[in-house]
Amino acid sequence: MVRAAVLSAPGESLRVTDLDLPAPGPGQVRVRIAATGVCHSDLSLAKGILRQAMPVVLGHESAGTVVSVGEGVTRTAPGDRVVLCWAPPDGTCWFCQQGEPWLCENSSNAASAPYATVDGQDVYPGLSTGGFAEETVVSEQAVLPVPAAVPLEHAALVGCAVMTGVGAVLNTAKVREGQSVLVVGLGGVGLSVVQGARLAGAGKVIVVDRSPEKLELAMSMGGTEALEAGGELAKQVRSLTEKRGADHAFDCVGLADTIRSSWSATRRGGVTTIVGIGGKDQQVTFSALELFHFARVVQGCVYGNTDPMTDIPRILDHAAAGRLDLGALISGTVGLTGIDGAFADMGAGKGARVLVVP
Ligand SMILES: [Zn+2]
Ligand SMILES: [Zn+2]
């Protein structure tokens, strides 16, 4: 038995209870969780905005130590320090064959199969990971080694937010040295975009949020100008970019309004990358003439267009060398009983990344 925070149905509170976690099967590994970041997708899953089989143990941004392995496991061994990847590509589907493993058709299969029980009832691993628990069981493809120089609490964030944010800058947008960057929304992912922009050698990095506290944090991580949300964004950004608009915008919110204003704040031919996950009700409108005239690009970005197998080790190397400051992204630590509170703060736009230490 291990302690876990279980969600029975969308909209309910999490219940901390005993989870009956079986020994790892062939190709599986059991991991003792050191820390799991609370991601905005967990909140969307908990509210039912994103779909997930239930009852579920949410949490998909984890790192820990391998405690046991199933038959045939070769990639890892007990005692290894690992980060968990919630979307391990299979390497064989059509998308993987095209070199687009972030769109793998089978990377989320484990989320729809029960992996444990509570009082005899099947429970599912949230986004294939089940990180809000003392231990979990995942496929061996879902664990990658963490270098000794990186604490597991920091490595956890690489599993989702950092991979997504830094990947959006380096892989999706391919920001070049000296280019101007606009980042709207400064949660864990937005702040990772800011650090990614610094890593890419961007010129101006204009950061936008409604929280002065998050703006200050972003300025300490590579932001060069801060704008409190609510003003006329396009006008403000043009005045900071020789009247042209930004070369790149990153929407890390996912609302029609923020996407539209990010797009309007880019220059002619500028690129807007949609990193935040929005709802079906968010309709963004453009006139045909402006789409033609401004020749701007809007692109989606899933998991930072990364191949986790090569990109997670690369990101961890950046962290080990001090080029990424993962510790600065952590704004608080809670136990399993504190997750509902972390969700409430996240909904209110407070804090950066909260870590759950089970
Ligand atoms: Zn996430
Ligand atoms: Zn695939």
Side-chain angles (χ1 to χ4, degrees), residues 7 9-14 40-50 52 54 56 58 340 343:
L7 175 69
E12 289 190 1
S13 301
L14 303 185
H40 206 276
S41 305
D42 290 311
L43 181 57
S44 300
L45 290 160
K47 283 182 174 168
I49 295 168
L50 297 175
Q52 164 69 52
M54 300 208 181
V56 62
L58 295 172
D340 281 322
F343 280 162

Short mmCIF file of all heavy atoms in Angstrom, two decimals, residues 7 9-14 40-50 52 54 56 58 340 343:
data_model
loop_
_atom_site.label_atom_id
_atom_site.label_comp_id
_atom_site.label_asym_id
_atom_site.label_seq_id
_atom_site.Cartn_x
_atom_site.Cartn_y
_atom_site.Cartn_z
N LEU A 7 -8.72 11.24 -7.20
CA LEU A 7 -9.88 12.02 -7.63
C LEU A 7 -10.90 11.04 -8.20
O LEU A 7 -10.62 10.29 -9.13
CB LEU A 7 -9.46 13.03 -8.71
CG LEU A 7 -10.60 13.85 -9.34
CD1 LEU A 7 -11.19 14.83 -8.33
CD2 LEU A 7 -10.10 14.61 -10.57
N ALA A 9 -14.22 11.88 -9.31
CA ALA A 9 -15.04 12.43 -10.40
C ALA A 9 -14.67 13.90 -10.60
O ALA A 9 -14.23 14.56 -9.65
CB ALA A 9 -16.52 12.29 -10.07
N PRO A 10 -14.85 14.43 -11.84
CA PRO A 10 -14.51 15.83 -12.10
C PRO A 10 -15.21 16.77 -11.12
O PRO A 10 -16.38 16.56 -10.80
CB PRO A 10 -15.03 16.07 -13.53
CG PRO A 10 -15.08 14.72 -14.15
CD PRO A 10 -15.38 13.76 -13.04
N GLY A 11 -14.48 17.76 -10.65
CA GLY A 11 -15.07 18.78 -9.79
C GLY A 11 -15.02 18.43 -8.31
O GLY A 11 -15.27 19.28 -7.46
N GLU A 12 -14.73 17.17 -7.96
CA GLU A 12 -14.67 16.79 -6.55
C GLU A 12 -13.32 17.17 -5.94
O GLU A 12 -12.39 17.55 -6.65
CB GLU A 12 -14.90 15.28 -6.40
CG GLU A 12 -16.33 14.88 -6.69
CD GLU A 12 -16.62 13.43 -6.31
OE1 GLU A 12 -15.71 12.75 -5.81
OE2 GLU A 12 -17.77 13.02 -6.54
N SER A 13 -13.21 17.04 -4.61
CA SER A 13 -11.92 17.24 -3.94
C SER A 13 -11.11 15.96 -4.05
O SER A 13 -11.66 14.88 -4.26
CB SER A 13 -12.13 17.55 -2.46
OG SER A 13 -12.91 18.71 -2.33
N LEU A 14 -9.79 16.09 -3.90
CA LEU A 14 -8.93 14.91 -3.89
C LEU A 14 -9.04 14.23 -2.52
O LEU A 14 -9.20 14.90 -1.50
CB LEU A 14 -7.47 15.31 -4.15
CG LEU A 14 -7.18 16.07 -5.44
CD1 LEU A 14 -5.68 16.26 -5.59
CD2 LEU A 14 -7.74 15.34 -6.66
N HIS A 40 -0.94 23.09 -14.69
CA HIS A 40 -2.27 23.58 -15.01
C HIS A 40 -3.13 22.51 -15.66
O HIS A 40 -4.35 22.47 -15.49
CB HIS A 40 -2.20 24.83 -15.90
CG HIS A 40 -3.40 25.71 -15.74
ND1 HIS A 40 -4.56 25.49 -16.43
CD2 HIS A 40 -3.64 26.77 -14.94
CE1 HIS A 40 -5.46 26.39 -16.07
NE2 HIS A 40 -4.92 27.18 -15.17
N SER A 41 -2.50 21.58 -16.38
CA SER A 41 -3.27 20.47 -16.98
C SER A 41 -3.92 19.60 -15.92
O SER A 41 -4.99 19.03 -16.15
CB SER A 41 -2.38 19.60 -17.86
OG SER A 41 -1.73 20.38 -18.81
N ASP A 42 -3.29 19.46 -14.74
CA ASP A 42 -3.91 18.70 -13.65
C ASP A 42 -5.22 19.36 -13.24
O ASP A 42 -6.21 18.68 -13.00
CB ASP A 42 -2.98 18.63 -12.43
CG ASP A 42 -1.75 17.78 -12.67
OD1 ASP A 42 -1.92 16.65 -13.16
OD2 ASP A 42 -0.64 18.24 -12.38
N LEU A 43 -5.19 20.68 -13.16
CA LEU A 43 -6.39 21.43 -12.79
C LEU A 43 -7.47 21.23 -13.85
O LEU A 43 -8.64 21.00 -13.54
CB LEU A 43 -6.03 22.91 -12.63
CG LEU A 43 -7.14 23.88 -12.22
CD1 LEU A 43 -7.79 23.45 -10.92
CD2 LEU A 43 -6.59 25.30 -12.10
N SER A 44 -7.08 21.28 -15.14
CA SER A 44 -8.04 21.09 -16.23
C SER A 44 -8.60 19.66 -16.21
O SER A 44 -9.79 19.46 -16.48
CB SER A 44 -7.38 21.36 -17.58
OG SER A 44 -6.91 22.70 -17.63
N LEU A 45 -7.75 18.69 -15.90
CA LEU A 45 -8.22 17.30 -15.79
C LEU A 45 -9.17 17.15 -14.60
O LEU A 45 -10.20 16.49 -14.69
CB LEU A 45 -7.03 16.35 -15.61
CG LEU A 45 -6.11 16.17 -16.83
CD1 LEU A 45 -4.75 15.62 -16.39
CD2 LEU A 45 -6.73 15.25 -17.87
N ALA A 46 -8.83 17.80 -13.49
CA ALA A 46 -9.65 17.69 -12.27
C ALA A 46 -11.02 18.32 -12.47
O ALA A 46 -12.01 17.87 -11.91
CB ALA A 46 -8.93 18.35 -11.09
N LYS A 47 -11.07 19.37 -13.30
CA LYS A 47 -12.35 20.05 -13.55
C LYS A 47 -13.14 19.37 -14.66
O LYS A 47 -14.29 19.72 -14.91
CB LYS A 47 -12.08 21.49 -13.99
CG LYS A 47 -11.70 22.45 -12.89
CD LYS A 47 -11.53 23.81 -13.52
CE LYS A 47 -11.28 24.92 -12.53
NZ LYS A 47 -10.84 26.14 -13.26
N GLY A 48 -12.49 18.44 -15.40
CA GLY A 48 -13.17 17.77 -16.51
C GLY A 48 -13.06 18.51 -17.83
O GLY A 48 -13.72 18.14 -18.81
N ILE A 49 -12.22 19.57 -17.88
CA ILE A 49 -12.02 20.31 -19.14
C ILE A 49 -11.21 19.44 -20.10
O ILE A 49 -11.45 19.41 -21.30
CB ILE A 49 -11.32 21.66 -18.87
CG1 ILE A 49 -12.24 22.55 -18.03
CG2 ILE A 49 -10.95 22.36 -20.18
CD1 ILE A 49 -11.55 23.78 -17.45
N LEU A 50 -10.21 18.73 -19.56
CA LEU A 50 -9.49 17.71 -20.33
C LEU A 50 -9.99 16.35 -19.86
O LEU A 50 -10.31 16.17 -18.70
CB LEU A 50 -7.97 17.83 -20.12
CG LEU A 50 -7.30 19.13 -20.56
CD1 LEU A 50 -5.83 19.14 -20.17
CD2 LEU A 50 -7.44 19.34 -22.07
N GLN A 52 -10.04 12.36 -18.88
CA GLN A 52 -9.18 11.38 -18.22
C GLN A 52 -10.10 10.35 -17.56
O GLN A 52 -11.07 10.71 -16.92
CB GLN A 52 -8.30 12.09 -17.18
CG GLN A 52 -7.63 11.19 -16.15
CD GLN A 52 -6.54 10.31 -16.75
OE1 GLN A 52 -5.64 10.78 -17.44
NE2 GLN A 52 -6.63 8.99 -16.51
N MET A 54 -11.49 7.90 -14.79
CA MET A 54 -11.50 8.08 -13.33
C MET A 54 -12.08 6.84 -12.66
O MET A 54 -12.80 6.11 -13.30
CB MET A 54 -12.34 9.32 -13.00
CG MET A 54 -11.76 10.55 -13.64
SD MET A 54 -12.12 12.04 -12.72
CE MET A 54 -11.31 13.25 -13.78
N VAL A 56 -8.84 8.58 -10.56
CA VAL A 56 -7.50 8.81 -11.10
C VAL A 56 -6.56 9.36 -10.02
O VAL A 56 -7.00 10.07 -9.11
CB VAL A 56 -7.59 9.80 -12.29
CG1 VAL A 56 -8.14 11.15 -11.83
CG2 VAL A 56 -6.25 9.99 -12.97
N LEU A 58 -3.85 11.96 -10.21
CA LEU A 58 -3.28 12.96 -11.12
C LEU A 58 -1.80 13.16 -10.80
O LEU A 58 -1.23 12.47 -9.97
CB LEU A 58 -4.06 14.28 -11.00
CG LEU A 58 -5.52 14.21 -11.47
CD1 LEU A 58 -6.24 15.51 -11.13
CD2 LEU A 58 -5.59 13.95 -12.97
N ASP A 340 -5.37 20.38 -3.27
CA ASP A 340 -6.56 21.19 -3.55
C ASP A 340 -6.28 22.68 -3.34
O ASP A 340 -6.72 23.52 -4.12
CB ASP A 340 -7.75 20.75 -2.67
CG ASP A 340 -8.41 19.48 -3.21
OD1 ASP A 340 -8.53 19.35 -4.44
OD2 ASP A 340 -8.82 18.63 -2.39
N PHE A 343 -4.34 23.93 -6.24
CA PHE A 343 -5.25 24.15 -7.38
C PHE A 343 -5.96 25.50 -7.24
O PHE A 343 -6.10 26.25 -8.20
CB PHE A 343 -6.31 23.04 -7.45
CG PHE A 343 -5.84 21.75 -8.08
CD1 PHE A 343 -6.55 20.57 -7.89
CD2 PHE A 343 -4.72 21.71 -8.91
CE1 PHE A 343 -6.14 19.38 -8.47
CE2 PHE A 343 -4.29 20.53 -9.50
CZ PHE A 343 -5.01 19.36 -9.28
#
